[in-house]
Amino acid sequence: MKIQLKSLTMVNFMGEANRTTIFNLDAPTPIAGANGLGKSRHFEAFMWLLFGKDSADRKDYEIKSIVNGAPLQKCECSVAGELVVAGEIITIKRSFVEQWVKPRGCSEQIFKGNQTECTWNGVPVKVGEFQKRINAIINDDIFKMLTNPLFFATMDWKIQREQLF
């Protein structure tokens, strides 16, 4: 199955206030520049969008933009992508949303925690359903083996052997 990334939009994701990258579907799109300009951030954003993890396979890491040593609060932190899967355009989005509540009798809101929200072609879906749909397109281990040359070496030897055979 042919999968192409058409565009990737990061909003307050790991230092990107708002960036959309449009990819050429007919030829490779070069991403080049000096250190710290966001080359690796594109891959991290794509990994988080698809699997909710970073390239090191961690679920818990700081995805929010940091300002003055602290993560931004009360703002959207999301990654959206437009993919072409077997000729069909699919728009997906994963957002990290803060939950703020105003307890009765209090004048200020209190931070309750974070929640992940996903959409598929503009329709909200539960995270589990989102992952199920992504896994129907590509398995995360296969994706990591194709995109990260160091991933295979970190796999259990039994799984390595299974993949080789």
Side-chain angles (χ1 to χ4, degrees), residues 8 21 34 56 72 94 110 130 132 136 152:
L8 188 69
T21 302
L72 286 176
R94 185 182 297 260
I110 297 173
F130 184 86
K132 187 176 167 184
F152 185 79

Side-chain angles (χ1 to χ4, degrees), residues 83-142:
L83 298 113
V84 180
V85 179
E88 179 185 348
I89 296 175
I90 298 171
T91 304
I92 57 177
K93 183 177 180 180
R94 185 182 297 260
S95 302
F96 196 61
V97 180
E98 295 178 342
Q99 302 295 311
W100 291 86
V101 295
K102 187 174 175 183
R104 185 179 294 186
C106 292
S107 61
E108 294 187 24
Q109 292 182 332
I110 297 173
F111 178 66
K112 184 179 175 185
N114 294 302
Q115 173 179 319
T116 301
E117 296 177 354
C118 299
T119 62
W120 193 277
N121 288 333
V123 178
V125 293
K126 294 183 179 183
V127 175
E129 175 63 22
F130 184 86
Q131 271 326 125
K132 187 176 167 184
R133 292 180 186 187
I134 292 295
N135 287 336
I137 295 170
I138 189 162
N139 174 280
D140 61 339
D141 284 341
I142 293 172

Side-chain angles (χ1 to χ4, degrees), residues 4 14 16 19 27-28 43 60 62-63 68 73 76 78 80 88 91 94 104 106 115 151 157 159-160:
Q4 294 176 289
M14 297 179 74
E16 289 295 346
R19 172 185 262 179
F43 183 63
D60 296 322
E62 190 60 64
I63 62 169
N68 298 326
Q73 292 186 331
E76 176 186 2
S78 65
E88 179 185 348
T91 304
R94 185 182 297 260
R104 185 179 294 186
C106 292
Q115 173 179 319
F151 180 73
W157 70 270
I159 298 172
Q160 286 179 343

